[in-house]
Amino acid sequence: MKFFLLLSAIGFCWAQYDPHTKSGRTSIVHLFEWRWVDVALECERYLAPKGFGGVQVSPPNENAVITDPSRPWWERYQPVSYKLCTRSGNENEFKDMVTRCNNVGVRIYVDAVINHMTGSGVSAGTRSTCGSYFNPGSEDFPAVPYSGWDFNDGKCKTGSGDIESYNDAYQVRDCRLVSLLDLALEKDYVRSTIANYLNHLIDIGVAGFRIDASKHMWPGDIKAVLDKLNNLNTKWFPSGSKPFIYQEVIDLGGEAITSSEYFGNGRVTEFKYGAKLGTVIRKWNGEKMAYLKNWGEGWGFMPSDRALVFVDNHDNQRGHGAGGASILTFWDPRMYKMAVGFMLAHPYGFTRVMSSYRWTRHFVDGTDVNDWMGPPNNNGVIKEVTINADTTCGNDWVCEHRWRQIRNMVMFRNVVDGQSFTNWWDNGSNQVAFGRGNKGFIVFNNDDSTLSATLQTGLPAGTYCDVISGDKSGNSCTGIQISVSSDGKAHFSISNSAEDPFIAIHADSKL
Ligand code: AAO
């Protein structure tokens, strides 16, 4: 029995569900559209010291240069080849980033766009980020190479060749997603070509992949690609480690395709998480935080050990993808910090923090017509992520991961890792609290009245620094102090008009 347990523990550690973060690091951050040189610096100067486990980077492979609209962020989801050459940097810069991040214990996860190539309507003669020739009209991508044989045209049964209904699993997998040329992943040549691309990245030292548009590929085809992948680079990972896999499948219920079909391949994005949490924090549809008591599987989410969770992603923060209006983003900072704080304190799922750039929103009839706008740039060249004296970012990079409340909750999650969900309390409305064993405790007041309560924290007696209103530095605290008595109880008072109406304390914030 013992031997079996040991084997299954090892099996889990080395398998595709494990992010291979350095021990004690429990979250990753999506540095959306950052340049590789800036990611490398951020690993060294911020992510490693603050306990982040890894970075999801934007697609590193060559893409079409879209000029109408002018250099949208989404051009990176229109591959031209698998050369590592984009607005974020070239192959040498990519390698340097992976090496430097790994050397400080921060992993790199690549956004792998393998379902398709460019849009069918992109005109021949369109430039690409590395100068490779391609012709969408004749399905010719000589820099890979792919030709007409390598696409799904024959299999798709819709009149337009595009996905017309999400109620038909065949359409969703065999037809074109928004006219993007759909690769024939049933072909061994296509599978091997994709595997070669991913293996190149693995050999450089990446720790895993976000598989873009997984819903649009058959689970068995994805598996066939994954079966061809190398183990991770032993310079940084134990021998026999498999890449971490998380598949982008949008399953809010009610469609032909469900997330569970993909569990055999790796983790899956849980889109219900951000959609529901946004609804609760906004208090829409009669939802209240008290209902979060059984958050997780109790809300109909997938099993925790299969879930990749997030409050918002690069799509739904600007109205793409799914989730709708309830999604919270940096544009609603007060509610957003509460949502991210709740996510990072709660044991469910493997957590990803979003890090965005600011763009000029312009709503026409409720739709942001500037949802396409690319990262801060000078004539198309991505701007550097500058760091201000107060540690926030300049040049319109939002850097949510550097907000004190979010950065400190990433550390909170590390400190309480492995501890159970304990000491739930609620007032029947929007004042709630819970602990993580004897390591951490968090209290929220999302009601319209002051919270004043003496609660069981589960923590050892002492004075703790609230990591939301301030930081512990040495033996002093720049924020609110909470004193826990010998019976584990502490008094909390949170005004409903507080800038951040929540308090979090943990073992390492003890003074
Ligand atoms: C661009 C242009 C297009 C043009 C195309 C080709 O915008 O007009 O035709 O180029 O020239 C990104 C952008 C796209 C962009 C594309 C390529 O978002 O606008 O197209 O790059 O440049 C589906 C997929 C999901 C996908 C999501 C955006 O299932 O995989 O659409 N996300 C990933 C990436 C994303 C990227 C791609 C894939 C492509 O994260 O950045 O696209 O590489 C339903 C379905 C979802 C479906 C949504 C949206 O959702 O369930 O699967 O996502 O529709 O079509 C409620 C429902 C919910 C429903 C939602 C929306 O919330 O509950 O289920 O409404 O109807």
Side-chain angles (χ1 to χ4, degrees), residues 32 66 72-79 111 113 115-122 162-163 166 172 177-181 210-216 248-253 255 271 313-315 318-324 371-372:
F32 178 49
I66 304 292
W73 61 269
W74 46 253
E75 69 171 40
R76 299 185 72 161
Y77 292 90
Q78 301 206 22
D111 194 347
V113 186
N115 170 66
H116 52 261
M117 300 301 279
T118 64
S120 60
V122 173
D162 285 351
I163 298 163
Y166 276 92
V172 176
L177 166 63
V178 293
S179 92
L180 297 159
L181 295 172
R210 167 192 186 265
I211 311 283
D212 179 71
S214 290
K215 188 196 241 180
H216 305 281
E248 189 228 6
V249 178
I250 297 175
D251 175 8
L252 295 176
E255 281 183 17
F271 275 83
N313 80 347
H314 72 280
D315 283 327
R318 47 174 54 70
H320 285 237
D371 64 340
W372 57 270

Side-chain angles (χ1 to χ4, degrees), residues 290-316:
Y291 299 157
L292 297 173
K293 185 174 185 178
N294 66 341
W295 184 244
E297 289 94 341
W299 277 60
F301 301 168
M302 65 182 75
S304 177
D305 63 359
R306 290 296 175 268
L308 186 290
V309 298
F310 46 92
V311 172
D312 61 328
N313 80 347
H314 72 280
D315 283 327
N316 62 21

Side-chain angles (χ1 to χ4, degrees), residues 83-97:
K83 292 179 189 163
L84 303 184
C85 183
T86 62
R87 281 209 278 179
S88 284
N90 61 31
E91 175 157 349
N92 284 334
E93 289 162 330
F94 184 85
K95 284 180 172 161
D96 182 59
M97 166 186 75

